[in-house]
Amino acid sequence: MFNIDERYRGLPASREQVIALHTSLNSPHLFIPGKPAGQAQAFILGLRGSTGFATFIYLYLSEAAECAVYVSGKRNTSFEEYLGEEGEALAFVESMGFMMDNSNWRSLPQPTQEELLRTLPVFFRDPKQVPAVAKKVEEKRNAAATLGRFLAAF
């Protein structure tokens, strides 16, 4: 069973901690309680810790630069338990309308893994830090400043 844990805003991890990454191929329109409705991306992330494995579901609402992180009631599971939770996580997000793709993390070349760690929203501490979101905020700020200068000229 997966439930939202509001304490999480992102899941920064090292390349070695990631054991699996599934990403959505589509972006269905979702309503997540307490968040604005909108297009969402889903990520299922399997992480290895010092005492076991954990499964996380990360939903990213790009238009609002918001996220929802779902966690399992179990932590520090064995690898066999992790595999069961990964299957439950896939069924959960697919029931929301997501079509998921396994990135086959362990078979990806190291440079590709590092690029994904730098660019995917799931790995940022805060969804507002995602490069595309930060760029949009800066563009809006520049547009507002330009408009302000234009109006001030009159």
Side-chain angles (χ1 to χ4, degrees), residues 48-63:
R48 174 189 347 227
S50 59
T51 57
F53 301 90
T55 306
F56 298 90
I57 298 171
Y58 181 93
L59 301 180
Y60 178 64
L61 301 160
S62 59
E63 293 170 7

Side-chain angles (χ1 to χ4, degrees), residues 57-78:
I57 298 171
Y58 181 93
L59 301 180
Y60 178 64
L61 301 160
S62 59
E63 293 170 7
E66 281 286 341
C67 71
V69 180
Y70 290 78
V71 297
S72 167
K74 302 174 190 174
R75 291 295 174 93
N76 303 319
T77 63
S78 68

Side-chain angles (χ1 to χ4, degrees), residues 91-144:
F92 181 66
V93 297
E94 287 171 353
S95 73
M96 290 185 221
F98 289 102
M99 295 182 295
M100 301 302 289
D101 180 49
N102 186 347
S103 71
N104 296 308
W105 180 266
R106 288 286 159 210
S107 66
L108 293 173
Q110 183 177 342
T112 303
Q113 290 176 344
E114 290 171 358
E115 177 70 17
L116 292 174
L117 288 169
R118 286 190 309 271
T119 59
L120 291 180
V122 65
F123 296 115
F124 284 82
R125 290 196 185 282
D126 183 341
K128 291 178 180 28
Q129 295 175 336
V130 175
V133 171
K135 183 178 177 184
K136 283 184 191 176
V137 169
E138 186 62 29
E139 287 172 356
K140 285 181 182 178
R141 194 175 296 138
N142 289 341

